[in-house]
Amino acid sequence: MKLDRFVSALFIAVAVAWFFPQFGAAQSGIPLNAICSAGIALIFFFYGVKLSPEKIKSGLKNWKLHVVIQSATFIICPLLVLIAHPFLQTKHQEMIWLSVFFLAALPSTVSSSVVMVAMAKGNLPAAIFNASISGLIGIVLTPLWMGLFMQQQQNNFDFLQIYFKLMVEIILPVVAGIAVQRGIAHWAARYGKQLALFDKSVIVLIVYKSFAESFSDGTFSGMQWNDLAMICVITIVLFFTLYGIIYLISILLAFNKEDRITALFCGSKKSLVHGTVFSKVLFSNASFAGFMLLPLMIFHAFQLFIVSYIAGRFGRKA
């Protein structure tokens, strides 16, 4: 398994933020916030351009599979983390828990889910449908889940303001992309690699900015190496627990092999793109935004490694 370049770039961005936090700090003269907002709008504009209404309509038929995937993503996974909340004793533990809960409340990833399902010879149309619809559902449900606990961390946490920002930076660009889809869809397909590089560059910039603010404000000052090790263990256990639950449900519902593969890969993954975008909106006035992204980055690196390995095994068996 070779090291993923995008994952490497994310951790390099964290290292740069550690040594040079001044360029991403709130008092910096560089308008990184405006640049990131513009980048996010463009990401979701081209997401709308590539969104296929026909595939979404055709994918509605296999409703049991869709219910399992979306329930695993937005209900089962958050509830698995929520179980641990009554056992928290310190504010530091609650911060670690909240960062993992943010990971659990996120939608499924889009491109890698589709790629892995294709590799494993799963139900590709259903994967495209669920990967596409998950991000749209997450715009509504992720802030609702986080709002249950964020008001304790941020006194100025305002649902109306959050949804307004999400509307401006995500929904409107998606709608605009769909509106001009026929005119530029061929252009977006032609320059798909360049657009993917642009998406990843924006995510790396958001990660740098979030960690630079957290480092400059001393958010990580109380964090120990055993905390990092604990976050790694928790994220890995969360993945395998969710994966196992989805597997059992798919067996109980007598899914065929293709649907079972799609449920496993789409339901157990979390989107780094949506996570970084949501963190910018949900924690825009908080210094702990970088801390909140840490479990997501670890989870993203792990899911790329383990799911690609599992997908390869499924594909060879097929």
Side-chain angles (χ1 to χ4, degrees):
M1 300 293 294
K2 62 181 181 181
L3 191 64
D4 185 82
R5 292 180 182 178
F6 180 45
V7 172
S8 302
L10 292 174
F11 287 100
I12 289 171
V14 175
V16 173
W18 167 260
F19 289 108
F20 305 101
Q22 64 272 19
F23 301 115
Q27 61 272 21
S28 171
I30 303 173
L32 286 185
N33 201 42
I35 294 170
C36 291
S37 294
I40 289 168
L42 286 172
I43 286 175
F44 283 94
F45 170 77
F46 287 109
Y47 176 77
V49 170
K50 292 180 282 187
L51 198 61
S52 174
E54 291 78 16
K55 288 181 180 178
I56 289 178
K57 288 178 184 177
S58 65
L60 288 171
K61 299 173 184 177
N62 199 347
W63 64 270
K64 283 185 181 179
L65 176 59
H66 308 328
V67 169
V68 169
I69 292 172
Q70 302 307 326
S71 297
T73 302
F74 294 110
I75 299 176
I76 297 174
C77 192
L79 288 178
L80 286 174
V81 181
L82 196 59
I83 292 170
H85 189 259
F87 302 99
L88 303 177
Q89 296 179 351
T90 66
K91 192 173 181 180
H92 184 64
Q93 288 178 349
E94 185 162 0
M95 184 65 70
I96 293 175
W97 176 88
L98 189 63
S99 66
V100 178
F101 186 71
F102 174 59
L103 160 68
L106 289 172
S108 177
T109 184
V110 179
S111 57
S112 62
S113 288
V114 175
V115 170
M116 297 303 177
V117 169
M119 247 172 84
K121 306 294 189 294
N123 188 336
L124 193 56
I128 294 171
F129 170 82
N130 280 282
S132 301
I133 207 72
S134 181
L136 301 178
I137 295 173
I139 293 171
V140 177
L141 293 187
T142 301
L144 285 177
W145 271 121
M146 295 306 297
L148 296 175
F149 304 97
M150 279 303 298
Q151 289 176 334
Q152 302 170 17
Q153 304 290 335
Q154 283 182 267
N155 296 325
N156 59 346
F157 189 86
D158 185 351
F159 274 111
L160 290 177
Q161 186 181 14
I162 293 297
Y163 281 115
F164 177 77
K165 286 183 178 180
L166 291 173
M167 179 71 69
V168 171
E169 295 191 12
I170 298 179
I171 297 295
L172 290 181
V174 169
V175 172
I178 294 172
V180 300
Q181 193 175 72
R182 291 185 179 180
I184 64 171
H186 65 286
W187 182 88
R190 181 180 178 184
Y191 293 98
K193 289 184 179 180
Q194 289 82 354
L195 290 174
L197 179 60
F198 172 78
D199 293 355
K200 292 175 180 178
S201 300
V202 173
I203 300 307
V204 169
L205 186 61
I206 295 173
V207 167
Y208 165 76
K209 182 181 181 300
S210 299
F211 277 87
E213 289 180 347
S214 295
F215 286 137
S216 62
D217 291 339
T219 303
F220 287 95
S221 58
M223 189 172 181
Q224 306 294 326
W225 284 107
N226 59 334
D227 293 328
L228 183 60
M230 183 173 65
I231 291 173
C232 291
V233 171
I234 289 171
T235 55
I236 293 171
V237 169
L238 178 64
F239 173 84
F240 280 117
T241 304
L242 184 61
Y243 189 92
I245 290 172
I246 297 169
Y247 182 80
L248 289 175
I249 292 173
S250 65
I251 293 294
L252 290 172
L253 293 176
F255 284 174
N256 60 38
K257 185 178 179 182
E258 290 75 18
D259 286 355
R260 189 165 67 247
I261 289 170
T262 305
L264 287 169
F265 290 176
C266 292
S268 64
K269 301 185 82 178
K270 293 295 179 178
S271 173
L272 182 65
V273 174
H274 287 86
T276 48
V277 171
F278 288 171
S279 73
K280 180 182 176 298
V281 176
L282 292 171
F283 320 125
S284 58
N285 299 318
S287 61
F288 52 82
F291 193 96
M292 301 299 288
L293 287 175
L294 193 56
L296 176 58
M297 291 172 60
I298 294 169
F299 191 91
H300 178 78
F302 178 76
Q303 74 180 8
L304 280 179
F305 178 83
I306 193 66
V307 176
S308 60
Y309 172 74
I310 296 171
R313 291 195 63 182
F314 273 122
R316 285 191 293 273
K317 286 181 181 178

